[in-house]
Amino acid sequence: MSTARRVAVIGGGPGGLYAAALLKRLDPAREVTVWERNAPDDTFGFGVVLSDETLGGIEHADPAVHAALQAEFVRWDDIDIVHRERRHTSGGHGFAALGRRRLLQILHERCRDLGVELRFRAEAPPAAELSTAYDLVVAADGVHSLTREAHAEAFGPEITTHRCRYIWLAADFAFDAFRFEIAETEHGVMQLHGYPYARDASTVIVEMREEVWEAAGFDGLDERESTERCAKIFADALGGRPLRGNNSSWTTFRTVVNSRWSHGNTVLIGDAAHTAHFSIGSGTKLAVEDALALAACLQEQPGLPAALRAYEAERRPVVASTQRAARASLEWFERIADHLDQPPRQFAFNLLTRSRRVTHDNLRLRDAEFTRAVEREFGCPEGTPPMFTPFRLRGLTLRNRVVVSPMDMYSAVDGVPGDFHLVHLGARALGGAGLVMTEMVCVSEHGRITPGCAGLYTAEQADAWRRITDFAHARAPGTAIGVQLGHSGRKGSTKLMWEGIDDPLPDGNWPLLAASPLPYKPGSQTPHELSRAGLTEIREEFAAAAARAERAGFDLLELHCAHGYLLSGFLSPLTNHRTDAYGGSLEARLRYPLEVFDAVRDAWPADKPMTVRISATDWADGGTTAQDAVEIARAFAAHGADAIDVSTGQVVADERPAYGRSYQTPYADRIRNETGIPVLTVGAISSWDDVNSLLLAGRADLCALARPHLYDPHWTLHAAAEQGYEGPGAPWPVQYRAGSRRPQTGRTDAPKPRLTLKSRRPA
């Protein structure tokens, strides 16, 4: 057990108070002191929502606090979404809330009962001073933590300010559901988030983009005026009743991330360590869970350093996951205007699933009737999951929405695909996906990434590809097979991936060509800047490869304009430093990729679709932005692209991607809903539930998966089996039909003992 005998807690919010109570309860001899600069009854905000998971932890750790909370909670199950005078209700969600002031009173009482010293209206001494007099300093001093700022070099904070203004208010009546209401005003879109926290009171948060807030004149209003104005805007939701504030002011949300949560014997918890947007209701929840974990680690570990390491190791993955969900939710509300024209139920489903915590599958369990209504509106035949609905691109109808994403195999010889490619792509065609894509197929020998890359620059290569497409069409009828054409640009002449990804060949290098003479990374070969003659030559190589792709029997062609390869290198300002007509503005940077697209489109049959893969962000300062990506997509669509395959990054070596589940989808969502162009989304989509959720929410039209198809070539068929679907969207090959049901396994549900007999004590 850690020997933290004297503990100082900076901040008397829920996290700090609960940490103090737990630490004192676990060791009554421990001296615990809490400093809170406000009075006991001062509090900001109104209601607090806690999950059943958090309550379970509280019940286990301190039944007295749990019992007091249970007596105060108001509970409800429904979420109401009101948009354009239509209300849609989804049930089965399960919420519990109470007033923040009452929560603090319960924790004050518990601390006093246990002997914690509470010092109100008292500024805590600096953490550096407390750390010399106390064994442990718990910094629970909130989003504006002075402790974190005083030791910024140690904690490494990164703080991001976001694009909406919001204000916390209250209404003196209880909503009968968690309510989201959208107001489309002359100044722009505003939204209300409301929920009950007592039998006669509700929290009301009003939120809008900064520019809407300014246009509406809120920047010139005081608290009373803002409150009255918000009540008028949302009069229908409030039933004409007033709102009230509590030292309420308009603010912008700040996401706080720290590279470390402890420094010496000082540790951060709650908002001092991390924040998560209020739209997923996690601030108090995270703080309370931090307190639980910190107390447990101090109890379990042999010393303070080990305890603080264990605390951070336990909590950081949970917090990171929550922050990813909160960021997705926050950004969805920032761009809510993009979704307003969706069909009403789809809009409601999109809002409910915005954070990816609620999905199609668990929403179907919570509220099957609502989910079926959304599916009908989407066009799902009865009993058909969204992923197995067909989708049409030009003259090609895909039987389902699953795409085997392009994956470089680096296994060709002199650009010729062989038996490996036949088995690899043939297996995935048999596996049920609607569209199977080749790896990037290079348009010339000097356009290869590695010596193992496949090509379409000779007749022999085209014949080899024909063998593969013939197999797919004959043995997996209904499966489409697409080719992705590209040129490596400055990322060519490198080793096979498993020998050193993006590392130059030790010998046998070929010269590289690119938009500008910039090496990909230190030690990479410096490419030659393409001349006018070189631009023309490569454009014609793309067109010739497209003609060979038609003779090879492909159903769809994708132009690779992503990941830092040649055409992507023209699009990004980080890799295109040209001063001629092909560099400078986005319009100029688009010029050459569009010239290539036009040449390929002319060489490709008019009834066959073409898609374009782009990197929607470079994940680097000064690079392609999300708005640039929207304009890039519009430009390709205007030239005849049938869909945009939305990927991100891999353009510059010093990128900083924000990885996470379906982390690239927001870019696809934005392009689709701002432009109306069909999109493929890709990136960390790993479950059929994710696919159904993304499609039904209208964030994408097709979902491309790579690693899941490496793990399981029959991923799509297994997804159908697991959902009990046996329709035309996922037919099993006759040879495999006997395996279309999940194999039986041994029983794991052994009968539970009915009685527990205590052994008799010896006489």
Side-chain angles (χ1 to χ4, degrees):
M1 181 190 299
S2 172
T3 56
R5 312 305 302 168
R6 301 187 74 227
V7 179
V9 180
I10 304 173
L17 290 169
Y18 194 51
L22 287 175
L23 291 171
K24 186 69 172 176
R25 181 172 183 268
L26 288 170
D27 184 355
R30 186 177 272 144
E31 177 188 329
V32 182
T33 305
V34 178
W35 280 265
E36 170 53 52
R37 63 184 179 182
N38 295 307
D41 293 334
D42 289 346
T43 186
F44 307 98
F46 298 94
V48 173
V49 180
L50 294 175
S51 69
D52 288 341
E53 180 184 32
T54 304
L55 291 173
I58 292 173
E59 181 179 22
H60 184 76
D62 194 334
V65 170
H66 182 262
L69 293 175
Q70 288 284 69
E72 300 288 338
F73 276 132
V74 293
R75 294 182 178 274
W76 71 99
D77 291 321
D78 290 349
I79 297 176
D80 284 348
I81 298 158
V82 183
H83 168 47
R84 293 182 177 170
E85 300 181 353
R86 296 188 65 179
R87 180 166 92 171
H88 293 285
T89 300
S90 173
H93 295 277
F95 296 99
L98 78 164
R100 182 178 173 87
R101 178 170 290 163
R102 183 62 188 129
L103 172 60
L104 293 177
Q105 289 170 349
I106 290 169
L107 294 174
H108 291 162
E109 291 165 9
R110 185 58 173 155
C111 284
R112 290 190 184 100
D113 289 345
L114 292 167
V116 173
E117 183 181 354
L118 301 177
R119 298 185 183 182
F120 294 105
R121 300 185 181 88
E123 287 284 353
E129 181 180 327
L130 290 172
S131 67
T132 63
Y134 288 82
D135 301 316
L136 173 65
V137 179
V138 179
D141 48 348
V143 63
H144 301 291
S145 171
L146 296 177
T147 305
R148 183 186 65 231
E149 296 309 309
H151 302 282
E153 188 173 323
F155 293 119
E158 181 179 324
I159 300 173
T160 305
T161 301
H162 299 284
R163 303 173 66 176
C164 283
R165 289 273 183 168
Y166 66 95
I167 188 169
W168 288 82
L169 302 168
D172 291 325
F173 73 97
F175 283 120
D176 57 5
F178 204 126
R179 187 179 182 102
F180 294 99
E181 181 138 348
I182 316 304
E184 295 177 73
T185 76
E186 61 184 311
H187 308 293
V189 180
M190 305 176 188
Q191 58 258 12
L192 174 148
H193 311 239
Y195 59 88
Y197 67 86
R199 293 177 181 83
D200 59 355
S202 296
T203 293
V204 174
I205 306 168
V206 177
E207 182 186 28
M208 65 198 73
R209 288 278 290 256
E210 176 94 20
E211 60 269 26
V212 176
W213 177 78
E214 289 181 353
F218 280 110
D219 55 338
L221 303 183
D222 61 21
E223 180 186 16
R224 179 186 60 79
E225 293 167 330
S226 287
T227 302
E228 291 175 355
R229 181 83 176 279
C230 289
K232 289 179 181 177
I233 292 168
F234 292 101
D236 287 346
L238 301 170
R241 288 166 285 203
L243 291 169
R244 58 182 169 85
N246 176 21
N247 293 316
S248 302
S249 61
W250 293 97
T251 188
T252 53
F253 190 80
R254 307 200 320 161
T255 296
V256 175
V257 176
N258 285 280
S259 59
R260 292 188 63 201
W261 294 357
S262 65
H263 168 53
N265 63 348
T266 299
V267 63
L268 305 176
I269 70 169
D271 284 354
H274 44 71
T275 58
H277 193 248
F278 59 80
S279 61
I280 67 166
S282 290
T284 301
K285 174 184 184 297
L286 288 176
V288 167
E289 291 175 350
D290 283 354
L292 282 164
L294 178 62
C297 290
L298 288 166
Q299 190 77 359
E300 296 162 356
Q301 298 298 321
L304 183 63
L308 297 185
R309 286 194 299 270
Y311 156 70
E312 185 169 341
E314 176 181 334
R315 292 294 297 154
R316 187 175 283 280
V318 177
V319 168
S321 175
T322 302
Q323 287 189 310
R324 284 194 295 270
R327 183 70 177 254
S329 178
L330 175 157
E331 291 177 349
W332 193 92
F333 280 112
E334 285 184 340
R335 304 207 59 82
I336 193 170
D338 292 349
H339 305 104
L340 294 180
D341 292 330
Q342 287 187 313
R345 282 194 181 86
Q346 185 178 60
F347 175 85
F349 180 89
N350 198 351
L351 188 152
L352 290 170
T353 59
R354 67 196 181 278
S355 73
R356 310 176 198 126
R357 290 288 177 93
V358 176
T359 65
H360 170 259
D361 198 44
N362 61 42
L363 192 57
R364 186 173 54 180
L365 294 174
R366 297 178 192 202
D367 192 337
E369 183 178 349
F370 172 81
T371 307
R372 280 196 296 270
V374 180
E375 291 171 344
R376 286 194 299 271
E377 195 172 75
F378 181 79
C380 298
E382 187 66 29
T384 301
M387 66 189 292
F388 294 116
T389 56
F391 189 72
R392 187 175 180 84
L393 289 170
R394 204 169 285 235
L396 175 67
T397 298
L398 302 175
R399 68 185 178 197
N400 63 52
R401 307 295 187 100
V402 179
V403 178
V404 176
S405 197
M407 294 174 280
D408 286 320
M409 294 290 107
Y410 308 108
S411 299
V413 178
D414 295 327
V416 179
D419 289 348
F420 178 89
H421 294 82
L422 174 65
V423 174
H424 166 68
L425 293 169
R428 278 130 193 103
L430 291 169
L435 173 63
V436 176
M437 292 297 300
T438 69
E439 62 198 84
M440 185 178 96
V441 175
C442 304
V443 298
S444 65
E445 186 176 14
H446 65 258
R448 294 174 298 162
I449 307 166
T450 76
C453 288
L456 256 175
Y457 47 89
T458 69
E460 182 186 5
Q461 293 162 357
D463 290 343
W465 283 117
R466 184 81 202 200
R467 176 182 177 225
I468 294 167
T469 62
D470 283 349
F471 175 88
H473 292 144
R475 295 297 185 177
T479 299
I481 185 161
V483 61
Q484 185 188 72
L485 291 184
H487 186 295
S488 62
R490 70 178 188 150
K491 294 178 74 175
S493 193
T494 61
K495 298 176 181 177
L496 304 183
M497 180 181 68
W498 46 87
E499 294 175 352
I501 188 167
D502 295 322
D503 289 343
L505 290 169
D507 51 58
N509 287 281
W510 54 88
L512 303 183
L513 300 169
S516 298
L518 304 170
Y520 177 64
K521 65 179 185 178
S524 294
Q525 185 184 157
T526 299
H528 299 285
E529 181 172 298
L530 273 165
S531 64
R532 176 64 264 180
L535 294 171
T536 300
E537 180 181 356
I538 290 177
R539 185 189 69 206
E540 296 310 311
E541 288 171 346
F542 269 97
R548 292 189 190 96
E550 157 61 9
R551 291 195 296 275
F554 287 105
D555 304 298
L556 175 147
L557 187 150
E558 179 165 284
L559 188 64
H560 201 337
C561 297
H563 300 168
Y565 298 122
L566 181 74
L567 299 180
S568 171
F570 276 86
L571 293 173
S572 172
L574 297 178
T575 52
N576 183 344
H577 294 181
R578 299 175 74 99
T579 58
D580 62 4
Y582 296 100
S585 68
L586 178 58
E587 181 182 9
R589 299 196 308 274
L590 268 161
R591 184 169 284 119
Y592 184 62
L594 289 173
E595 286 181 6
V596 172
F597 179 91
D598 290 342
V600 172
R601 182 69 268 182
D602 287 345
W604 184 242
D607 65 327
K608 289 189 176 183
M610 262 189 77
T611 63
V612 179
R613 173 168 277 202
I614 66 170
S615 285
T617 175
D618 295 340
W619 299 114
D621 292 340
T624 299
T625 67
Q627 188 57 46
D628 289 340
V630 170
E631 299 309 319
I632 290 168
R634 278 201 180 103
F636 279 113
H639 281 245
D642 298 291
I644 305 299
D645 185 354
V646 185
S647 187
T648 64
Q650 301 180 53
V651 175
V652 292
D654 58 348
E655 65 177 3
R656 295 182 62 191
Y659 291 123
R661 180 165 148 238
S662 58
Y663 69 105
Q664 297 177 141
T665 296
Y667 296 94
D669 184 356
R670 180 168 178 177
I671 289 169
R672 184 183 190 273
N673 286 292
E674 277 198 36
T675 68
I677 302 164
V679 298
L680 295 82
T681 188
V682 64
I685 302 168
S686 57
S687 71
W688 48 259
D689 192 19
D690 283 343
V691 173
N692 285 329
S693 301
L694 295 172
L695 295 171
L696 204 57
R699 295 178 198 138
D701 300 283
L702 298 165
C703 291
L705 300 92
R707 287 179 177 84
H709 282 114
L710 292 179
Y711 181 76
D712 178 5
H714 295 86
W715 185 89
T716 306
L717 293 179
H718 292 153
E722 288 168 13
Q723 295 175 82
Y725 174 73
E726 298 179 351
W732 283 73
V734 292
Q735 298 91 338
Y736 292 169
R737 195 167 291 158
S740 63
R741 296 181 183 275
R742 183 190 289 272
Q744 293 184 352
T745 58
R747 286 187 61 184
T748 58
D749 57 341
K752 295 179 173 60
R754 296 296 304 278
L755 296 171
T756 301
L757 301 177
K758 296 181 180 179
S759 60
R760 183 177 297 175
R761 293 181 181 179

